[in-house]
Amino acid sequence: MKAITRFAPSPTGYIHIGNVRSAIYPYLVANQSEGKMILRIEDTDRERYVEGATELIEDTLKWLGLEWDEGPIVGGENGPYFQSERLPIYHAWVKKLLESGRAYADPTPSEKIEEYRKECNEKKIPFLYRNFRPTEVVEWEPGIPVRFKAEPKNYEWHDAVMGGMKTGPEVLDDIILIKKDGYPTYNFAHIVDDAEMGVTHVMRGVEYLSSTPNYLALYEAFGLERPILVSLPHILAPTGNKKLGKRDGAKSVTEYRDDGILAEAMLNYLACLGWNDGTEQEIYTKDELIEKFSIERIQNSGARYDETKLLWMNGQWIRRIFDEQGAEALYVRTIGFWPEEAEEYSEEYRLRVLSIIYDRLKTLSDLREMTKYFFVDPEIDVEMITGNKFLKKMSEAEIEELLKKVVAELSKIEGWDEEAIQSVLNRLLEETGKKPAELFSLVRLAVSFAPFSPALNLTLGVLGREVSLARLNAVARSI
Ligand code: GLU
């Protein structure tokens, strides 16, 4: 069966990483059956509408590689894809229910409804609008809300993640279908749209599970077949038992991009948050996810967000792209992540820096700090050398002498390549009787003043003869 799925965000702000699985999973399900994923913008709540949010949603999906088959920009046979442009469709559908007696126009003033709500509270009885339903029938006209006429009964259904579900009549009520402003509610609009668009799998956050009996009642009232219902559990905050929220450090998806997370890693991480294929595999390409994904293996409990794991996965992906697709493929993604000073250097030089440092990066933005000394002479910090744990026992005179010897030996190299540098360093070890940690720490600190660097011969190789010797000399003079 070709699955038709949808991602149906409301344009109320950015896509928070806790919500993006509602786009990833429908994408995977649609693509594994050569079906389609529809992007539908649920913009009927005009008070929560945020200008620019739709573009942000599109941008996020594009960055993650979740191309939609129908929707804004690409169009399709089931448009329009903005709910605000579909009002005549909802009105036509609601008329069917008004005619069959399963909906009613409800002019009850909101103060009256509030009074009734209070009364229920005082009497400690559940507030059910169907017990308050007006008896008088009025014609539907603009400005009057329309409500569903619920029939209290039991429901049983199967949720592909949550399993067998059962509810009693107490959860069914006269929900609002069309609001005073003529816009439909989410509860009504999504039923109409999913039916009109032929959606086979309704995949969305578990927060809609409790309203599902009302949706089942609507399917029934329209004589619609139930789609496959898939409730996605919440992503939990790093600690405690609550849903991941902005306060727990959850950022927008695009913020992770701007912080140097690769789209491949983000997609991989989020897809595997609360899903696995039953093996130990952790790194998946998008194509592998499409092939291996199955709704049955989505966990029915909330998965915990773990930034350390995301960073680890990003590091894995940085290496993988470099090793499998080449330095250029990684390089193009690093644009904008280099230290400012790097701008004055050639692309070739930056590529060489990247080639020796990529396997230490957790995010692309690590480049900013980790590669600075390749582009600008570091400030000399004598104490960093004299206080270093391997160099502490040497006197300043000894350090100066050793540095001078290093300069003298390195100066003799003709070709200045990694191998020649390494053999000089090895010879220096033998001649001076120093331990590698001592000699190499000294040279590394003197050229970089950084806590870590790639292998010393590679670092010196990329820095070049002139810069390396000048820095070593400058430090020797300052000691
Ligand atoms: N517009 C709803 C939301 O953003 C979508 C729920 C659904 O996928 O049906 O939460």
Side-chain angles (χ1 to χ4, degrees):
M1 166 175 126
K2 282 190 193 246
I4 300 180
T5 62
R6 85 297 198 279
F7 176 47
S10 302
T12 53
Y14 63 71
I15 309 193
H16 164 303
I17 59 154
N19 301 334
V20 78
R21 285 189 321 171
S22 315
I24 297 175
Y25 293 169
Y27 173 86
L28 298 176
V29 169
N31 281 277
Q32 66 186 196
S33 68
E34 289 170 29
K36 58 187 175 186
M37 175 171 85
I38 298 171
L39 173 60
R40 183 170 78 218
I41 305 296
E42 303 205 323
D43 58 349
T44 57
D45 189 344
R46 304 314 284 175
E47 279 162 27
R48 293 180 62 220
Y49 180 80
V50 172
E51 200 62 53
T54 303
E55 290 72 16
L56 218 63
I57 290 165
E58 292 164 354
D59 194 30
T60 303
L61 295 183
K62 279 192 214 156
W63 177 63
L64 287 172
L66 304 174
E67 306 86 14
W68 54 101
D69 303 287
E70 276 188 39
I73 306 174
V74 298
E77 53 183 335
N78 294 298
Y81 297 96
F82 287 85
Q83 287 187 326
S84 59
E85 295 169 18
R86 300 173 62 81
L87 300 189
I89 302 175
Y90 307 122
H91 293 176
W93 277 66
V94 90
K95 276 185 193 142
K96 290 192 233 173
L97 291 185
L98 287 164
E99 279 157 22
S100 65
R102 287 306 309 275
Y104 59 95
D106 181 19
T108 313
S110 39
E111 306 81 66
K112 276 234 149 121
I113 302 175
E114 270 323 295
E115 267 170 38
Y116 178 60
R117 194 190 297 274
K118 265 194 204 141
E119 191 187 317
C120 291
N121 270 347
E122 277 158 22
K123 292 188 184 155
K124 298 202 167 42
I125 53 167
F127 170 81
L128 280 172
Y129 201 82
R130 59 179 153 83
N131 297 333
F132 186 61
R133 187 185 291 162
T135 40
E136 194 195 340
V137 177
V138 297
E139 247 340 90
W140 180 43
E141 57 182 76
I144 304 184
V146 180
R147 285 184 183 262
F148 187 52
K149 199 181 267 179
E151 283 172 358
K153 60 194 250 191
N154 297 329
Y155 274 104
E156 280 191 29
W157 77 99
H158 179 76
D159 184 287
V161 173
M162 300 299 164
M165 308 296 299
K166 257 188 194 171
T167 51
E170 67 285 353
V171 297
L172 292 158
D173 203 7
D174 288 4
I175 55 171
I176 296 178
L177 306 177
I178 302 282
K179 296 177 283 186
K180 238 197 260 172
D181 61 7
Y183 281 87
T185 53
Y186 164 77
N187 291 338
F188 181 54
H190 87 274
I191 301 279
V192 173
D193 290 342
D194 287 344
E196 288 247 339
M197 296 178 181
V199 169
T200 56
H201 295 64
V202 171
M203 306 176 74
R204 63 184 157 201
V206 71
E207 59 271 28
Y208 296 97
L209 189 60
S210 60
S211 311
T212 301
N214 287 302
Y215 305 152
L216 299 179
L218 276 166
Y219 293 134
E220 241 168 49
F222 282 119
L224 295 168
E225 213 177 293
R226 292 178 185 177
I228 297 170
L229 297 168
V230 188
S231 295
L232 306 175
H234 292 139
I235 292 181
L236 302 177
T239 55
N241 245 340
K242 57 180 176 39
K243 197 172 140 179
L244 177 68
K246 292 184 195 170
R247 265 187 246 140
D248 312 297
K251 296 179 278 192
S252 73
V253 178
T254 45
E255 234 174 296
Y256 286 90
R257 169 186 67 190
D258 301 343
D259 287 348
I261 299 290
L262 293 170
E264 287 89 342
M266 193 82 219
L267 182 72
N268 188 167
Y269 175 73
L270 290 173
C272 296
L273 199 53
W275 171 84
N276 64 69
D277 71 355
T279 70
E280 297 287 297
Q281 187 172 346
E282 290 196 284
I283 305 294
Y284 293 89
T285 61
K286 187 171 84 170
D287 286 345
E288 282 171 319
L289 287 170
I290 292 175
E291 189 195 321
K292 306 259 172 77
F293 185 75
S294 68
I295 293 175
E296 295 69 42
R297 294 200 60 91
I298 299 175
Q299 279 171 27
N300 61 8
S301 57
R304 201 172 286 288
Y305 172 68
D306 175 359
E307 184 149 308
T308 317
K309 181 83 187 263
L310 170 63
L311 292 177
W312 171 81
M313 207 169 256
N314 200 50
Q316 297 292 311
W317 268 103
I318 288 175
R319 284 190 267 293
R320 191 175 166 135
I321 290 174
F322 186 96
D323 296 340
E324 290 180 5
Q325 302 172 29
E328 281 282 349
L330 184 63
Y331 177 75
V332 292
R333 294 159 200 248
T334 63
I335 312 290
F337 290 102
W338 293 91
E340 246 175 71
E341 297 83 355
E343 268 171 42
E344 285 154 35
Y345 287 76
S346 68
E347 191 178 307
E348 193 218 328
Y349 181 74
R350 273 179 277 173
L351 254 170
R352 292 181 63 203
V353 174
L354 184 64
S355 306
I356 66 170
I357 207 138
Y358 76 97
D359 59 352
R360 288 167 187 262
L361 303 174
K362 282 211 172 84
T363 71
L364 298 177
S365 44
D366 288 343
L367 282 172
R368 224 162 267 144
E369 282 305 315
M370 282 171 67
T371 69
K372 223 176 172 139
Y373 60 87
F374 282 101
F375 304 102
V376 61
D377 286 335
E379 220 171 282
I380 295 176
D381 177 353
V382 174
E383 266 171 43
M384 197 167 171
I385 292 184
T386 53
N388 179 276
K389 65 176 174 191
F390 299 112
L391 308 174
K392 260 197 226 150
K393 40 185 192 293
M394 289 167 73
S395 70
E396 293 190 357
E398 237 182 306
I399 291 177
E400 183 188 342
E401 194 191 329
L402 185 54
L403 277 173
K404 285 188 175 154
K405 189 157 178 56
V406 172
V407 171
E409 291 304 313
L410 285 174
S411 312
K412 292 181 195 155
I413 298 178
E414 286 190 358
W416 200 260
D417 62 61
E418 304 148 14
E419 277 163 39
I421 298 169
Q422 190 59 50
S423 53
V424 168
L425 292 172
N426 291 344
R427 210 173 56 234
L428 277 162
L429 280 179
E430 274 172 36
E431 286 173 11
T432 60
K434 292 287 171 210
K435 296 200 184 93
E438 295 165 342
L439 180 73
F440 296 170
S441 300
L442 175 60
V443 177
R444 186 170 52 72
L445 284 172
V447 296
S448 71
F449 285 96
F452 306 102
S453 81
L456 191 52
N457 64 327
L458 303 180
T459 305
L460 296 176
V462 170
L463 282 172
R465 169 200 293 269
E466 220 176 297
V467 171
S468 303
L469 297 181
R471 288 188 189 175
L472 291 165
N473 266 325
V475 175
R477 277 199 303 274
S478 313
I479 292 267

